[in-house]
Amino acid sequence: MQERTLIADLSSHTGENVSISGIVSVRRDQGKLVFFDFHDRSGTVQGVVLPAKDPAGEALMETAKDTRQEYSVRVEGMVNARPEKNIQADKQNGDIELEIKSISILSRAEEMPFDKDADDLTLEARFDYRPFTLRSQRDRDIFRVQATIVTAFRNALIERGFMDFQAPVLVGGDAEGGSAVFEIPDYYGKRAYLATSGQLYKQIMVGPFERVMTIAKTFRAEKSATTRHLSEITQLEFEMAFVETHEPVMDMLEEITRFISTEVADKHGDILTRLGTTPALLPEKAYPRFRLSEAQEIIEREFGGKAVGEPDLEPEHERQICEYAKREFGSDFVFITHFPNKKRAFYTYADPENPDSTLSFDLLFRGLEINSGSKRIHNYQDLVEKMHARGMDPEKFSFYLQAFKYGMPPHGGCSTGLERITMRMLELGNVKEASTFPRDMNRIDNLLSESAPED
Amino acid sequence: MQERTLIADLSSHTGENVSISGIVSVRRDQGKLVFFDFHDRSGTVQGVVLPAKDPAGEALMETAKDTRQEYSVRVEGMVNARPEKNIQADKQNGDIELEIKSISILSRAEEMPFDKDADDLTLEARFDYRPFTLRSQRDRDIFRVQATIVTAFRNALIERGFMDFQAPVLVGGDAEGGSAVFEIPDYYGKRAYLATSGQLYKQIMVGPFERVMTIAKTFRAEKSATTRHLSEITQLEFEMAFVETHEPVMDMLEEITRFISTEVADKHGDILTRLGTTPALLPEKAYPRFRLSEAQEIIEREFGGKAVGEPDLEPEHERQICEYAKREFGSDFVFITHFPNKKRAFYTYADPENPDSTLSFDLLFRGLEINSGSKRIHNYQDLVEKMHARGMDPEKFSFYLQAFKYGMPPHGGCSTGLERITMRMLELGNVKEASTFPRDMNRIDNLLSESAPED
């Protein structure tokens, strides 16, 4: 049997017999001629079965007419250059065509339930038929970009001396407080929870490793049915020691998100075009940085309404300040800093110039908060005091607190929602579209009303 | 303030004043002289405070005497070449010494609870004081190697056309059956479970992407207290389409584990030495491959005892066949293939030559199974029939089965336990040592008897 050639490599075999393995994207039966589009992981190519001239040709034509969309096949044939008038210059392999000599059907498919590439599919249909709709051009595009984002994040940080580790999913308590948490009431007869954040473990790891990152699953049991929430989230997190303020963390995050954006633009120009978006706009100078109070003043001045004095930005305000940053600074990214103490987690470092404020930041991207970060409290006594002030019991955090008791360098870090950065990078309307298998209030693969076993 | 120099870069600054940031590994107070070992993420260096000659020197000496182990400091000083007789050639920066001009204490530490680098620490002490003991040379070594394993795995697969994705942790049912599973009885009023495997999702992803990988958290509620089990595991998984048997999967896995082993050997020779082990032994030819029945005959012949006819290898048998493979083939890796149908998951492809057997394999490494894989059933009807034969209800797998109904290429794949490969790469005695924050029957960070909140 001839060795397999990847579809992307076909044009270098023009005039040769080859064997490809792939899946039928489309069959166009024109009676005496049958055309196919095949795809494999490397790309797509058109193939044709020519009119039968002999019994072998008739058998091939019969197989061709039996071969349908989503069938897996091995195809042998001759790579022909297309005549000038048939060349499709903007298409992969648009200058060649595979003249099919034989088709082996490796796997069949039933009739498709609907056109997976239709423009107007509902989200419900996409998710109900996820194993099928993931094959749509749209979904293959989204998750190719997501894989590039993850790899770019890891590589950029490794290059800067960060070490990755596996943050745990099972935790002994609700670490941060505030977020609704999923419970496992019977963990060998005791109670456990699903992590709402890798934060405390990331800080622990700073002690031995100074710069750490983790790609961590986190879980939120919030009763939230917005376009921005999932109950299972992938977080891209890093934490770094020897920072005096939150600013070196922002500098690092800016470098990383610039690298991610550039990688996506360089590798996936075709995908951005197909999805109707453009590369993230990166300013020549630094991303604009506004204190929360400053941003609120800008919002009131430029867009009207009430923002000054609020403890956080409303979703509408996030969109407005991003619009302003884009218009005035040519940036799709904007930092908001110095959130009030009461709105940030207990481990956030207070602003030495104003104890009601913190050395914290959010990074907004095209209208949405995708990252939160801060300098952290590193002094053991300060941390214990802060816990008391919040009504938390330091006893319950004795494991975490060890890291501080036995010496912790000053540090800071941040966490980016993978689904959120993917969503905004591709300007998708709903964060669930950026999760391969989205989990929310109503769905784990199937709608929960159908799938969850009852007692 | 002078810019920070990384400790690894100091020798290129000999004769210059520098500023370093780091943590005190050791202080040796010799009265008029105080020596320090400092470390940062890049390495270690010795510093010395010389006898005071003036009030500034006296203040410095006072700070030096106040500076203890695990304190974080910023130190300014002069990089001096050591006199010939003081050079320690086998040590990083063994040819230089930092003559300390100033010390700023950035963070203090309490008295250490014990010597974290003692040879005879119990595992219990290591885990009870994990945030502290992770700073030991041993643990820093283990997790540096683990990070290299993860990166090598990802890079080797990306280079071979695999795309990574995030497999879900929350699932709607116990997918594979057989493994004890953790339950979340209240997922928005419905029931959910923690994934015991990313397998079904990985297969779904083969349809759209042909070659996929995932670094997935999986969970086993088995009541098992061995040196080989954890309740939270990190799996390095890949799956590839267009394979006719399990053998191309084994070929791929061999390439990947060879690359991982070589990366660890190349980058971490010092760590392997410190941990008393050697690089994994890789044969010039392919890893030895034995059918289960063949391996059992070898075991009986070479080691005595009873093995032939059993459905699987006992732990003792795994050690014996590895000993044999090392002796006869110069290989620390050995494949065992063709496990009986009844011992493998429902999706395993039957051996066309013997339907009681399967196109399956385990990869053993230095006496332990670290990976399981197989060719998978790709035909929808075959899969449904197999489920019925196992007493499983295909209705409950309707989501997964869509992937097959609408066409699935022939495929196979496998899954490597990250903690297990790390454990054997470093010849650790217990897999828990290869987990940053190990979870087992008795422990989530703290012992569960202490930490779990009671009603």
Side-chain angles (χ1 to χ4, degrees):
Chain A
M1 199 173 72
Q2 199 172 3
E3 209 176 316
R4 177 184 180 188
T5 300
L6 284 180
I7 287 175
D9 299 333
L10 284 179
S11 64
S12 65
H13 292 273
T14 306
E16 295 171 23
N17 277 307
V18 297
S19 172
I20 65 168
S21 296
I23 295 174
V24 177
S25 313
V26 184
R27 185 188 67 172
R28 288 180 295 276
D29 187 345
Q30 302 195 348
K32 289 188 174 173
L33 289 171
V34 180
F35 288 94
F36 290 96
D37 287 346
F38 301 111
H39 68 268
D40 68 10
R41 68 178 188 274
S42 73
T44 61
V45 68
Q46 178 170 286
V48 61
V49 177
L50 297 177
K53 293 179 187 159
D54 52 25
E58 278 160 24
L60 171 61
M61 184 55 80
E62 203 169 312
T63 306
K65 286 179 183 282
D66 185 34
T67 302
R68 293 168 186 276
Q69 201 186 2
E70 299 295 330
Y71 278 33
S72 292
V73 289
R74 188 172 52 246
V75 173
E76 301 191 358
M78 165 73 78
V79 181
N80 291 329
R82 290 195 194 187
E84 196 71 44
K85 67 178 171 40
N86 290 348
I87 289 178
Q88 293 184 284
D90 56 336
K91 224 176 138 182
Q92 189 186 20
N93 290 323
D95 56 344
I96 57 167
E97 185 177 67
L98 188 65
E99 184 189 331
I100 297 170
K101 302 290 178 63
S102 85
I103 300 175
S104 307
I105 296 176
L106 305 175
S107 181
R108 294 170 188 271
E110 295 192 4
E111 197 74 33
M112 297 304 120
F114 50 80
D115 175 6
K116 65 186 185 310
D117 288 302
D119 277 343
D120 55 353
L121 279 189
T122 64
L123 277 186
E124 285 63 37
R126 284 199 177 280
F127 299 148
D128 287 347
Y129 288 87
R130 197 68 165 161
F132 170 60
T133 58
L134 278 170
R135 302 177 191 181
S136 64
Q137 186 68 55
R138 179 178 178 86
D139 280 354
R140 285 192 287 139
D141 284 349
I142 291 169
F143 296 108
R144 287 251 174 242
V145 169
Q146 186 162 81
T148 294
I149 290 172
V150 170
T151 297
F153 172 82
R154 283 187 99 258
N155 290 352
L157 285 168
I158 287 173
E159 201 172 298
R160 288 163 177 81
F162 287 77
M163 193 194 85
D164 86 326
F165 78 101
Q166 311 302 316
V169 162
L170 287 167
V171 296
D174 174 15
E176 299 211 42
S179 293
V181 58
F182 292 112
E183 238 184 70
I184 296 167
D186 182 12
Y187 181 85
Y188 300 109
K190 303 287 177 179
R191 186 175 301 176
Y193 303 88
L194 298 192
T196 55
S197 159
Q199 175 65 26
L200 307 194
Y201 295 96
K202 203 173 41 155
Q203 291 186 267
I204 289 171
M205 292 296 277
V206 161
F209 298 105
E210 191 185 322
R211 291 186 164 192
V212 295
M213 67 167 140
T214 185
I215 297 175
K217 283 294 180 101
T218 63
F219 304 85
R220 305 283 168 98
E222 286 160 7
K223 287 194 173 141
S224 178
T226 74
T227 57
R228 319 193 298 168
H229 289 91
L230 289 161
S231 56
E232 177 171 340
I233 305 150
T234 305
Q235 300 280 3
L236 309 177
E237 310 201 23
F238 70 81
E239 198 81 14
M240 56 197 279
F242 302 113
V243 299
E244 294 199 33
T245 68
H246 55 310
E247 290 189 350
V249 183
M250 292 162 70
D251 296 342
M252 183 65 71
L253 178 60
E254 178 165 339
E255 284 185 41
I256 302 307
T257 49
R258 279 179 184 269
F259 182 70
I260 289 172
S261 301
T262 306
E263 283 285 287
V264 169
D266 288 353
K267 295 193 168 147
H268 302 300
D270 53 340
I271 291 180
L272 297 180
T273 303
R274 277 198 292 270
L275 291 171
T277 182
T278 48
L281 202 57
L282 303 171
E284 266 184 54
K285 293 185 188 171
Y287 294 172
R289 298 177 182 196
F290 304 115
R291 286 173 176 251
L292 176 63
S293 55
E294 207 181 338
Q296 289 168 327
E297 280 164 24
I298 293 169
I299 289 164
E300 287 197 3
R301 189 185 69 219
E302 300 286 328
F303 300 93
K306 175 83 187 80
V308 174
E310 297 297 316
D312 206 346
L313 295 182
E314 297 294 319
E316 178 64 14
H317 297 153
E318 293 184 353
R319 283 189 288 273
Q320 289 168 341
I321 196 71
C322 283
E323 188 182 323
Y324 177 80
K326 185 171 180 175
R327 192 179 75 208
E328 299 296 324
F329 297 88
S331 179
D332 273 339
F333 290 94
V334 53
F335 279 112
I336 310 295
T337 67
H338 295 87
F339 288 86
N341 188 358
K342 63 184 170 193
K343 286 300 283 185
R344 303 299 274 208
F346 72 89
Y347 47 72
T348 310
Y349 201 91
D351 181 357
E353 289 165 20
N354 173 7
D356 291 338
S357 180
T358 55
L359 299 187
S360 61
F361 60 86
D362 280 359
L363 179 62
L364 313 188
F365 177 35
R366 290 179 166 171
L368 183 69
E369 179 232 308
I370 61 161
N371 176 294
S372 266
S374 69
K375 184 179 186 197
R376 324 296 193 183
I377 299 172
H378 62 274
N379 179 283
Y380 175 63
Q381 285 308 333
D382 292 349
L383 201 51
V384 170
E385 273 168 38
K386 185 73 171 281
M387 286 179 163
H388 280 305
R390 291 264 171 128
M392 298 163 69
D393 178 4
E395 272 300 304
K396 288 192 175 160
F397 292 83
S398 59
F399 186 81
Y400 167 68
L401 285 170
Q402 277 182 41
F404 299 84
K405 199 167 176 177
Y406 303 123
M408 176 69 97
H411 63 286
C414 62
S415 175
T416 303
L418 172 62
E419 294 83 3
R420 283 192 172 197
I421 190 174
T422 307
M423 175 198 186
R424 297 321 297 142
M425 191 68 80
L426 299 175
E427 298 196 87
L428 310 175
N430 193 314
V431 74
K432 295 182 182 71
E433 274 211 89
S435 171
T436 36
F437 300 100
R439 276 86 175 94
D440 66 18
M441 284 183 68
N442 303 312
R443 177 182 298 280
I444 293 181
D445 300 336
N446 299 298
L447 287 174
L448 288 168
S449 52
E450 294 170 18
S451 72
E454 300 291 335
D455 270 273
Chain B
M1 199 173 74
Q2 199 172 1
E3 209 177 316
R4 177 184 180 189
T5 300
L6 283 179
I7 286 175
D9 300 332
L10 284 178
S11 64
S12 65
H13 292 272
T14 306
E16 296 172 23
N17 278 307
V18 297
S19 172
I20 65 167
S21 295
I23 294 174
V24 176
S25 313
V26 185
R27 185 189 66 172
R28 287 180 297 276
D29 187 344
Q30 301 194 348
K32 289 188 176 174
L33 288 171
V34 180
F35 289 95
F36 291 96
D37 287 346
F38 301 111
H39 68 268
D40 67 9
R41 68 179 189 272
S42 72
T44 61
V45 69
Q46 179 169 286
V48 61
V49 176
L50 297 177
K53 293 179 189 161
D54 53 25
E58 278 159 26
L60 172 62
M61 183 55 79
E62 202 170 312
T63 307
K65 286 179 183 280
D66 184 34
T67 302
R68 293 168 186 277
Q69 202 186 0
E70 298 296 330
Y71 278 33
S72 293
V73 289
R74 187 172 53 244
V75 173
E76 301 192 358
M78 164 73 76
V79 181
N80 291 328
R82 290 195 195 188
E84 196 70 44
K85 66 177 172 44
N86 290 348
I87 288 178
Q88 293 183 283
D90 57 336
K91 224 175 139 183
Q92 188 185 21
N93 290 324
D95 57 344
I96 57 167
E97 187 176 64
L98 188 65
E99 184 190 331
I100 298 171
K101 303 290 178 66
S102 85
I103 299 175
S104 307
I105 296 176
L106 304 175
S107 181
R108 294 169 188 273
E110 293 192 4
E111 197 74 33
M112 297 303 120
F114 50 79
D115 175 7
K116 66 186 185 309
D117 289 302
D119 277 344
D120 55 353
L121 279 189
T122 64
L123 277 186
E124 284 64 35
R126 284 197 176 280
F127 299 146
D128 287 347
Y129 289 86
R130 198 67 165 162
F132 170 60
T133 57
L134 279 170
R135 301 178 191 180
S136 64
Q137 186 69 56
R138 179 178 178 85
D139 280 355
R140 284 191 288 140
D141 284 349
I142 291 170
F143 296 107
R144 287 250 174 242
V145 169
Q146 185 162 81
T148 294
I149 290 172
V150 170
T151 297
F153 171 83
R154 284 187 97 256
N155 290 351
L157 286 169
I158 287 174
E159 201 173 297
R160 288 162 177 82
F162 287 77
M163 193 195 86
D164 87 327
F165 78 101
Q166 311 303 315
V169 162
L170 287 167
V171 296
D174 173 16
E176 299 211 42
S179 292
V181 59
F182 291 112
E183 238 183 70
I184 296 167
D186 182 13
Y187 181 86
Y188 300 108
K190 303 288 176 179
R191 186 176 301 174
Y193 303 89
L194 298 192
T196 55
S197 158
Q199 176 64 26
L200 307 194
Y201 295 96
K202 203 172 41 154
Q203 289 186 267
I204 289 171
M205 292 297 277
V206 160
F209 298 105
E210 189 184 324
R211 290 187 165 192
V212 295
M213 66 166 141
T214 185
I215 298 175
K217 283 295 181 99
T218 64
F219 304 85
R220 304 282 168 99
E222 285 161 7
K223 287 195 173 138
S224 179
T226 74
T227 58
R228 318 193 298 169
H229 288 90
L230 288 162
S231 55
E232 178 171 339
I233 306 151
T234 305
Q235 301 279 3
L236 309 177
E237 312 202 22
F238 69 83
E239 198 82 14
M240 55 198 278
F242 301 113
V243 300
E244 293 200 34
T245 68
H246 55 310
E247 291 188 349
V249 184
M250 292 162 70
D251 296 342
M252 182 64 71
L253 178 61
E254 178 165 339
E255 283 185 42
I256 303 306
T257 51
R258 279 179 184 270
F259 181 70
I260 289 171
S261 301
T262 306
E263 283 285 287
V264 169
D266 289 352
K267 295 193 168 149
H268 302 300
D270 53 339
I271 291 180
L272 298 179
T273 303
R274 276 199 292 269
L275 291 172
T277 183
T278 48
L281 202 58
L282 303 171
E284 268 183 52
K285 292 185 188 170
Y287 294 171
R289 298 177 181 195
F290 304 115
R291 284 172 177 254
L292 176 64
S293 55
E294 208 181 337
Q296 288 169 327
E297 281 165 22
I298 293 169
I299 289 163
E300 287 197 4
R301 190 185 69 219
E302 300 286 327
F303 300 93
K306 174 85 187 81
V308 174
E310 296 297 316
D312 205 345
L313 295 182
E314 297 294 319
E316 179 62 15
H317 297 154
E318 293 184 354
R319 284 189 289 272
Q320 290 168 340
I321 196 72
C322 283
E323 188 183 322
Y324 177 79
K326 184 171 181 175
R327 193 179 73 208
E328 298 295 324
F329 297 88
S331 179
D332 274 338
F333 290 93
V334 52
F335 280 111
I336 310 296
T337 66
H338 295 87
F339 287 86
N341 186 358
K342 63 185 170 193
K343 287 298 285 184
R344 303 299 274 208
F346 72 90
Y347 47 72
T348 311
Y349 202 91
D351 181 358
E353 289 165 19
N354 173 8
D356 291 338
S357 182
T358 54
L359 299 187
S360 62
F361 61 86
D362 280 359
L363 179 62
L364 312 188
F365 177 36
R366 292 179 166 170
L368 183 69
E369 179 232 308
I370 59 160
N371 176 294
S372 266
S374 70
K375 184 179 186 198
R376 324 297 192 182
I377 300 173
H378 62 272
N379 179 283
Y380 174 64
Q381 285 307 333
D382 291 349
L383 201 51
V384 170
E385 274 168 35
K386 185 71 171 286
M387 286 180 163
H388 280 305
R390 292 265 172 127
M392 298 164 69
D393 179 4
E395 273 298 305
K396 287 191 176 160
F397 293 83
S398 59
F399 185 80
Y400 167 68
L401 285 170
Q402 276 183 41
F404 300 84
K405 199 167 176 176
Y406 302 122
M408 176 69 96
H411 64 285
C414 62
S415 175
T416 303
L418 173 62
E419 294 84 3
R420 283 192 172 197
I421 191 174
T422 307
M423 175 199 185
R424 296 322 297 142
M425 191 68 79
L426 300 175
E427 299 196 85
L428 310 176
N430 191 314
V431 73
K432 293 182 184 69
E433 274 211 88
S435 171
T436 36
F437 301 100
R439 275 86 176 94
D440 65 19
M441 283 183 69
N442 303 311
R443 178 181 298 280
I444 292 181
D445 298 335
N446 299 298
L447 287 174
L448 287 168
S449 52
E450 294 169 18
S451 71
E454 300 292 334
D455 272 271

